[in-house]
Amino acid sequence: MSSEHKERLAALRGVLAAAGLDGFIIPRADEHLGEYVPDSAERLAFMTGFTGSAGLAVVLADRAAVWSDGRYVLQLAQQSDAALWERLHITEQKPEAWLREHAAGKRIGYDPWLVSADFLARFSGVELVPVDKNPVDEVWVDRPAPPLAPAVPYSVAYAGESSAAKRARLGAALREAGQDAAVISDPAGLAWLFNIRGTDVEFCPVALGFAILAADGTATLFMAPEKVSGALREHLGNEVAVVARDALPGALQALAGKVVRYDSATMPSWFKTTLEAAGAKVAAGDDPVALPRACKNEMEQAGARAAHLRDAVAMAKFLAWSAERLRTGEETEMSAAAHLLACREAGVLFKGESFPAITGAGEHGAIIHYRVSPESNRQIKPDEIYLIDSGGQYLDGTTDITRTLWTGPGAAPPKVKEHVTRVLAGMIALSQAVFPEGVAGAHLDALARGALWQAGLDYDHGTGHGVGSFLSVHEGPAGIARQAKPVPLQTGMILSNEPGYYLPGAYGIRMENLVLVQPAAFEGARKFLRFETLTLVPFDRALIDVSLLSPAALGWLNGYHARVWQEVGPLVDGPVRDWLEAACAAI
Amino acid sequence: MSSEHKERLAALRGVLAAAGLDGFIIPRADEHLGEYVPDSAERLAFMTGFTGSAGLAVVLADRAAVWSDGRYVLQLAQQSDAALWERLHITEQKPEAWLREHAAGKRIGYDPWLVSADFLARFSGVELVPVDKNPVDEVWVDRPAPPLAPAVPYSVAYAGESSAAKRARLGAALREAGQDAAVISDPAGLAWLFNIRGTDVEFCPVALGFAILAADGTATLFMAPEKVSGALREHLGNEVAVVARDALPGALQALAGKVVRYDSATMPSWFKTTLEAAGAKVAAGDDPVALPRACKNEMEQAGARAAHLRDAVAMAKFLAWSAERLRTGEETEMSAAAHLLACREAGVLFKGESFPAITGAGEHGAIIHYRVSPESNRQIKPDEIYLIDSGGQYLDGTTDITRTLWTGPGAAPPKVKEHVTRVLAGMIALSQAVFPEGVAGAHLDALARGALWQAGLDYDHGTGHGVGSFLSVHEGPAGIARQAKPVPLQTGMILSNEPGYYLPGAYGIRMENLVLVQPAAFEGARKFLRFETLTLVPFDRALIDVSLLSPAALGWLNGYHARVWQEVGPLVDGPVRDWLEAACAAI
């Protein structure tokens, strides 16, 4: 493996030298700058061996480095060859500083399709040169073809609003902002705007492509012709021109003199420079789809409730099975996750997992983004903690749920129960929040941490992320985290509520429900919001220390379990029903 | 009064025309851009009649407008003449938009000493012209002389750190940032940096002046010679050059080629343009004094505790008196405030009020920044709510406390008690907060509002502001508010904790303690912080509905009252002691 990567690195250096470049930047990104990328864009993994979901490499003639973040320190060290690559932590030793130190006066190439304008702006003092053709692709002779899965219509019975209505709404917003058009480069944005879905990447049902939305509500969709059937053209209607991706440069040329919205944080820098070269006026602004997409309409909300109910049935089956099987020591992290997937597959409208399940027994649960592999897979032992974070893509909604279980048959130690109960108390406190319009997730994050903080404990991740409607399980622009851009919460947003606690080398705890922002009814002019909990799955009472819950929190928990029994109980039978009834009994 | 303002406006227009200006901007500000300004700088009040603490006017040849914010809508309408001025709300109809509409192509003057660079940056599209001499001063023939009160040394026994040590510390920070010098324009910054105090403005014990701090820890203090005694020069020592304010332009000239730190939000734009004209490199950065000043050292913390204990004695005397007097109907808002001032004056080290007391009976309490006047003063009636927000400047610390009282003799209505108890529950929740380093007040603000939010109620002001050490009662950079710049809380910061509830036309409720940020002791590497409550004054139990307090909140309240009795009890006698004992009994 190492000799392979050594040869690739040497070959790339040859290509760079021939192109008159002293170096090249290789981000883990495709042309849409999103979380899930197709195999054809896994250039970082091809060059370095590192397969984490966030990373970057820089190759110079005499040295090379690869970066990732705190989640991937170990994996980066295991997968990349220290003889070829310096392995660096992205916040402790920044690529821009490394380049300023090692590449002064040198010409460093980058692919303008794979980086945002904001990313480039960080590299002041370094001469960065855009390339027309990515030099890694010249080395990568057996590079997979880009995915060409068909894009398919997404019924308005699920989407709740026609593409025409969405385009008219967003077009009006552009006109109001004095803008003539907007770039759309996020495939989940296309999916929402045109009511289409696809299977180009794992876990997120999008079709890759780009679009230009005009202020009159018409649009041009740039998508490989192989992906576009006659039925899809009919679905899109005559206000949406469908052209091949190759038509993009020409289309931008035609925007000369126009004001075009561009999101410098999330869109490839290619759009900015190409628009500017064409004589268009680039207007910096948020991706116009992001906020409307986050606010789910009534139909999407109903779909989310229905999907969560079916997901709850699958989880109930899985948890009833777990209650019997995990104490035997005969199951593994992979076998348990496989069983959960089978439970989901037995339901209707299920289209696949919404992300790779995090199935962590004991000390593996403390690795926040643990992804099991045949090498890491281990037995789930009696009397330990098992954490399972998983989700489903259903035609009517996307789910994401984490439960932490005690495998038994013995009792959980008091300290473990204390940690679990503090996490649960935080999840409940956030679930019970009522707050006026204008409040953002950043202002509520402390609620989910309070019970841990009182004991000097905390967790190093955000409390919540947005979740799409049969779209990405990680969706902006709102979140529940101190670091998040403070986007006020609005009716219809679906967010995760997932505090945790991690004791490295021992165990990890996380409790995750999805919640839907709803108006709270009060007299008076001031508008308030609250959370409706979508997830309907009991918490393992073997891990709860009731003495640590306030009366209000215990009331919430018992009310929640009663609701789970009421809504899910009629959908299960036999031993699953018996298990659920016991799991939902009042504490 | 109106004819007077009409004449002044006409005269100003004459001066502007003669100077070739089409208009002029008049902010409510002096050259230090702070909250409290000397009479000599009250140009906005002179021109418009409006005496609020925040406002702005613009005079054009054919129209004029005056702005303030939501606190002052009524007062602005009462004090300014509608025939002369459009009266506008500063966030609803912004001055920059008004100028773009009415002053296109016109030359609008401004005094570069009275606005920040950030303020000017908002006026893109308007031609703004700095003036050398403020044209209002040419009209204002009997303008008061600028204050020339002596600056006096502030003992290191109170300050806790010598000026030399402070200057060395801040100089090192400048060197680390690659900066040669920094502008200091906030008089409270001078006061802290040089350990001096003064009496130039009301309520805040500062001496007006400016300084340039050099990266080697030496400084130049620009201050009127009349203010500087031989003793002060001796106190300042030979690392601080003291020169007249007139020397400022020359001193900036001498900074040619140097990197000079300038805070574009809080410092006059004059410094920026003069430095740039001199060939200095202006480095944008926060006022270097603000953060170090906010983190009180051990001596300042001890001083704050001592000042709060004496303030608590004064408050106990006042509240014992109030318990007897307010039910009689014989006291007024002014007589009660006067009695409280007399109670404070009876103590030692008291130097005056830290702000004009807000003394509001009934509906006046709902006016958040109510300032009583002989015209507005009203009887305090039996069986109503009375709110008193006041504070003292003591040589060893600054206090700020609000209590809400029921005058009696009848019982308070249940709804009133509910509102008061929800406010109190919020104040207690914030008092009990424990949080890791890195958390800012913006992230804790929701804790103080939670009990109100649960009932669909809220308050339209921040929860807390920083408080100085025998300095400004409103001090940056940290605060507890969603709007606040998220400055992480640090050990030694003193902040107010003051949720409220206001029912317009009926009553206002506010509960305010000052809290001191302290380390929280836990095992483990992660560092946590907590609040030590400084204020030691009981809450009126006639207004508390115990059934609405959680066991934890009631426990805090009883513990607090027990502590008040233990610490303040030994310092009072007679009826005050009897009153305090009853007020502090367990509920």
Side-chain angles (χ1 to χ4, degrees):
Chain A
M1 180 163 166
S2 243
S3 72
E4 185 174 66
H5 290 111
K6 189 175 178 182
E7 283 162 25
R8 290 172 186 173
L9 190 55
L12 179 64
R13 283 179 167 138
V15 173
L16 294 178
L21 291 171
D22 300 310
F24 193 68
I25 297 178
I26 308 165
R28 197 271 180 177
D30 74 353
E31 301 183 337
H32 309 284
L33 309 187
E35 181 178 1
Y36 299 112
V37 311
D39 292 343
S40 56
E42 292 282 14
R43 297 178 181 91
L44 183 68
F46 171 79
M47 286 303 303
T48 68
F50 172 63
T51 59
S53 68
L56 176 81
V58 177
V59 173
L60 303 178
D62 56 348
R63 63 196 310 155
V66 56
W67 284 262
S68 195
D69 58 44
R71 296 173 289 175
Y72 292 115
V73 171
L74 199 65
Q75 185 177 336
L76 183 63
Q78 286 168 343
Q79 294 184 320
S80 64
D81 183 347
L84 304 176
W85 304 93
E86 291 177 62
R87 285 90 57 94
L88 302 171
H89 189 291
I90 197 129
T91 54
E92 289 168 10
Q93 198 163 359
K94 297 190 172 172
E96 50 268 38
W98 189 90
L99 270 171
R100 276 192 278 270
E101 184 180 346
H102 298 298
K106 295 186 178 166
R107 285 166 53 84
I108 308 300
Y110 69 94
D111 185 336
W113 279 99
L114 304 185
V115 296
S116 69
D118 283 359
F119 175 87
L120 290 180
R122 288 162 36 193
F123 290 84
S124 65
V126 180
E127 191 190 352
L128 293 187
V129 183
V131 298
D132 283 335
K133 186 168 164 35
N134 196 309
V136 174
D137 298 354
E138 298 183 45
V139 178
W140 195 357
V141 287
D142 55 350
R143 179 175 161 236
L148 289 174
V152 297
Y154 185 58
S155 168
V156 75
Y158 295 125
E161 183 181 14
S162 70
S163 171
K166 291 177 178 177
R167 285 184 277 104
R169 190 148 70 90
L170 268 59
L174 291 179
R175 289 198 301 279
E176 202 163 297
Q179 296 162 351
D180 300 304
V183 174
I184 316 283
S185 67
D186 172 7
L190 295 194
W192 180 86
L193 186 61
F194 298 110
N195 288 342
I196 57 175
R197 295 293 187 272
T199 54
D200 280 336
V201 295
E202 280 190 300
F203 307 114
C204 186
V206 295
L208 301 184
F210 298 94
I212 303 289
L213 173 68
D216 65 2
T218 65
T220 307
L221 176 60
F222 302 87
M223 191 172 272
E226 297 93 324
K227 302 164 72 80
V228 183
S229 68
L232 184 69
R233 282 179 193 273
E234 194 174 329
H235 166 77
L236 292 168
N238 59 15
E239 290 182 339
V240 179
V242 186
V243 296
R245 217 211 89 159
D246 301 348
L248 204 37
L252 296 200
Q253 286 296 327
L255 291 171
K258 304 287 188 186
V259 179
V260 184
R261 184 149 158 187
Y262 163 84
D263 189 327
S264 62
T266 65
M267 296 178 178
S269 68
W270 180 87
F271 282 95
K272 181 164 188 273
T273 48
T274 306
L275 283 167
E276 285 171 348
K281 185 170 167 6
V282 174
D286 294 336
D287 180 337
V289 170
L291 186 59
R293 181 184 59 200
C295 299
K296 276 71 180 173
N297 59 44
E298 292 289 339
M299 208 88 88
E300 290 171 316
Q301 294 179 26
R305 288 187 197 98
H308 276 85
L309 195 55
R310 291 194 306 282
D311 206 57
V313 169
M315 282 296 298
K317 291 175 180 171
F318 170 73
L319 291 175
W321 173 90
S322 295
E324 297 300 320
R325 293 294 304 158
L326 300 192
R327 66 180 58 187
T328 65
E330 293 168 16
E331 300 296 339
T332 67
E333 294 168 336
M334 291 183 85
S335 73
H339 186 74
L340 173 53
L341 178 56
C343 291
R344 285 203 167 98
E345 283 170 337
V348 298
L349 302 189
F350 180 69
K351 296 290 171 180
E353 291 177 293
S354 58
F355 60 98
I358 298 171
T359 170
E363 71 286 355
H364 282 171
I367 304 167
I368 295 174
H369 289 84
Y370 176 63
R371 187 167 181 178
V372 69
S373 66
E375 294 72 39
S376 74
N377 185 32
R378 88 154 170 79
Q379 176 202 18
I380 300 175
K381 297 180 205 157
D383 291 333
E384 72 172 355
I385 286 268
Y386 171 62
L387 181 155
I388 174 92
D389 183 354
S390 68
Q393 290 289 5
Y394 298 87
L395 251 187
D396 48 358
T398 302
T399 70
D400 183 0
I401 172 173
T402 310
R403 287 295 180 268
T404 304
L405 311 177
W406 181 251
T407 58
K415 199 73 191 170
V416 171
K417 290 174 75 169
E418 183 200 327
H419 289 156
V420 169
T421 307
R422 289 186 184 277
V423 171
L424 183 64
M427 202 221 67
I428 292 173
L430 185 58
S431 301
Q432 294 183 301
V434 177
F435 49 92
E437 287 189 345
V439 166
H443 308 127
L444 300 179
D445 179 74
L447 300 179
R449 299 177 194 265
L452 287 164
W453 286 355
Q454 289 290 334
L457 309 174
D458 200 5
Y459 49 95
D460 288 328
H461 58 73
T463 298
H465 53 81
V467 176
S469 278
F470 188 43
L471 271 178
S472 178
V473 75
H474 295 148
E475 178 180 278
I480 302 176
R482 291 207 298 280
Q483 293 74 16
K485 217 166 119 181
V487 176
L489 299 182
Q490 294 183 34
T491 297
M493 287 178 169
I494 295 179
L495 297 150
S496 71
N497 170 4
E498 49 177 316
Y501 174 70
Y502 309 91
L503 194 59
Y507 54 81
I509 298 159
R510 190 160 59 250
M511 302 293 188
E512 178 185 26
N513 279 347
L514 297 195
V515 294
L516 167 62
V517 181
Q518 291 283 21
F522 289 111
E523 288 175 27
R526 209 181 281 265
K527 289 187 178 162
F528 278 79
L529 300 168
R530 64 179 181 84
F531 294 122
E532 171 191 342
T533 296
L534 294 172
T535 307
L536 293 169
V537 178
F539 296 93
D540 188 349
R541 61 187 58 214
L543 285 170
I544 298 173
D545 178 347
V546 182
S547 73
L548 289 173
L549 289 179
S550 71
L554 184 59
W556 183 93
L557 184 65
N558 280 326
Y560 176 73
H561 280 158
R563 181 182 157 216
V564 171
W565 172 241
Q566 190 183 356
E567 300 198 24
V568 184
L571 305 177
V572 293
D573 56 12
V576 175
R577 186 177 163 86
D578 295 342
W579 173 86
L580 187 67
E581 184 168 18
C584 291
I587 300 178
Chain B
M1 183 163 166
S2 243
S3 73
E4 188 175 62
H5 290 111
K6 190 174 177 183
E7 285 163 24
R8 290 174 187 172
L9 190 54
L12 179 63
R13 284 177 167 140
V15 172
L16 295 178
L21 292 171
D22 300 310
F24 193 69
I25 297 176
I26 308 165
R28 196 269 181 177
D30 73 353
E31 301 183 336
H32 309 283
L33 308 188
E35 182 180 359
Y36 298 113
V37 311
D39 291 343
S40 55
E42 291 282 14
R43 295 180 182 89
L44 182 68
F46 171 79
M47 286 303 302
T48 68
F50 173 62
T51 59
S53 68
L56 176 81
V58 177
V59 174
L60 302 178
D62 57 347
R63 63 196 311 154
V66 57
W67 285 261
S68 194
D69 57 43
R71 296 173 288 174
Y72 291 115
V73 171
L74 199 67
Q75 186 177 336
L76 183 64
Q78 287 170 343
Q79 293 184 320
S80 64
D81 183 348
L84 304 176
W85 304 92
E86 292 177 62
R87 285 89 58 92
L88 302 172
H89 189 291
I90 198 130
T91 54
E92 289 168 9
Q93 199 164 358
K94 295 191 175 173
E96 50 268 39
W98 189 91
L99 271 171
R100 277 192 278 270
E101 184 180 346
H102 298 297
K106 295 185 175 167
R107 286 166 51 84
I108 308 300
Y110 69 93
D111 184 335
W113 279 99
L114 304 185
V115 296
S116 69
D118 283 359
F119 175 88
L120 292 179
R122 288 161 37 193
F123 289 85
S124 65
V126 179
E127 190 190 351
L128 293 186
V129 183
V131 298
D132 283 336
K133 185 167 163 37
N134 195 309
V136 174
D137 298 354
E138 297 183 43
V139 176
W140 195 357
V141 288
D142 55 350
R143 180 177 161 236
L148 290 172
V152 298
Y154 185 57
S155 167
V156 75
Y158 295 124
E161 183 181 12
S162 70
S163 171
K166 290 176 179 179
R167 285 183 279 105
R169 189 148 72 91
L170 268 60
L174 291 179
R175 288 198 302 277
E176 203 162 296
Q179 296 162 350
D180 300 305
V183 175
I184 315 284
S185 67
D186 172 7
L190 295 193
W192 180 86
L193 186 61
F194 297 112
N195 289 342
I196 58 174
R197 294 296 186 270
T199 55
D200 281 336
V201 295
E202 280 190 299
F203 307 113
C204 186
V206 295
L208 301 184
F210 298 94
I212 302 291
L213 173 67
D216 64 3
T218 65
T220 306
L221 176 60
F222 302 87
M223 191 172 273
E226 297 92 323
K227 301 163 74 80
V228 184
S229 68
L232 184 69
R233 283 181 192 272
E234 193 173 329
H235 165 77
L236 291 168
N238 58 13
E239 288 182 341
V240 179
V242 186
V243 297
R245 217 212 87 159
D246 301 348
L248 204 37
L252 297 201
Q253 286 296 329
L255 292 170
K258 303 288 188 187
V259 179
V260 184
R261 182 148 160 190
Y262 163 83
D263 189 328
S264 62
T266 66
M267 295 178 178
S269 69
W270 180 88
F271 282 96
K272 180 162 188 275
T273 49
T274 305
L275 283 167
E276 285 170 347
K281 186 168 167 6
V282 174
D286 294 336
D287 179 340
V289 170
L291 186 59
R293 183 184 57 201
C295 300
K296 276 69 178 173
N297 59 44
E298 293 288 340
M299 207 88 89
E300 291 171 315
Q301 294 181 25
R305 288 188 197 98
H308 275 84
L309 195 55
R310 291 194 305 280
D311 206 56
V313 170
M315 282 296 298
K317 290 176 180 172
F318 170 74
L319 292 175
W321 173 89
S322 295
E324 297 300 321
R325 294 294 304 159
L326 300 192
R327 66 179 60 186
T328 66
E330 293 169 17
E331 300 296 338
T332 66
E333 294 168 336
M334 291 183 84
S335 74
H339 185 75
L340 173 53
L341 178 56
C343 291
R344 285 202 166 98
E345 284 171 335
V348 298
L349 303 190
F350 180 70
K351 296 291 171 180
E353 292 178 291
S354 59
F355 61 98
I358 298 172
T359 168
E363 72 285 355
H364 282 171
I367 304 167
I368 295 174
H369 289 85
Y370 178 62
R371 186 166 180 179
V372 69
S373 68
E375 294 73 39
S376 74
N377 185 33
R378 87 155 172 78
Q379 177 202 17
I380 300 174
K381 296 179 206 159
D383 290 334
E384 72 173 355
I385 286 268
Y386 171 64
L387 182 156
I388 175 93
D389 183 353
S390 68
Q393 290 288 8
Y394 299 86
L395 251 186
D396 48 359
T398 301
T399 71
D400 184 0
I401 172 172
T402 310
R403 287 296 180 269
T404 304
L405 312 177
W406 180 252
T407 58
K415 200 72 193 170
V416 171
K417 290 174 75 171
E418 183 200 328
H419 290 156
V420 168
T421 307
R422 288 186 184 277
V423 171
L424 183 63
M427 201 220 69
I428 292 173
L430 184 58
S431 301
Q432 295 183 298
V434 177
F435 49 92
E437 287 189 347
V439 166
H443 308 125
L444 300 179
D445 179 73
L447 299 180
R449 298 176 194 267
L452 287 164
W453 286 356
Q454 288 290 336
L457 310 174
D458 200 4
Y459 50 94
D460 288 329
H461 58 75
T463 298
H465 53 81
V467 175
S469 278
F470 188 43
L471 271 179
S472 178
V473 75
H474 295 148
E475 178 180 277
I480 302 175
R482 293 205 297 280
Q483 293 74 16
K485 216 166 121 182
V487 176
L489 299 182
Q490 295 184 32
T491 297
M493 287 180 170
I494 295 178
L495 298 149
S496 71
N497 170 4
E498 48 177 317
Y501 174 70
Y502 309 92
L503 194 59
Y507 53 81
I509 297 159
R510 191 161 58 251
M511 302 291 188
E512 179 186 24
N513 280 347
L514 297 194
V515 294
L516 168 62
V517 181
Q518 292 282 21
F522 289 110
E523 287 174 27
R526 211 181 280 265
K527 288 187 179 165
F528 278 79
L529 299 168
R530 63 177 182 86
F531 294 122
E532 171 190 343
T533 296
L534 294 171
T535 307
L536 293 169
V537 177
F539 295 93
D540 188 349
R541 61 186 60 211
L543 286 169
I544 298 172
D545 179 348
V546 180
S547 72
L548 289 173
L549 289 178
S550 70
L554 184 59
W556 184 93
L557 185 64
N558 281 327
Y560 176 73
H561 280 159
R563 180 181 158 217
V564 171
W565 172 242
Q566 189 183 356
E567 299 198 26
V568 184
L571 305 177
V572 292
D573 56 13
V576 175
R577 186 177 165 86
D578 295 343
W579 173 86
L580 187 68
E581 185 167 19
C584 291
I587 299 179

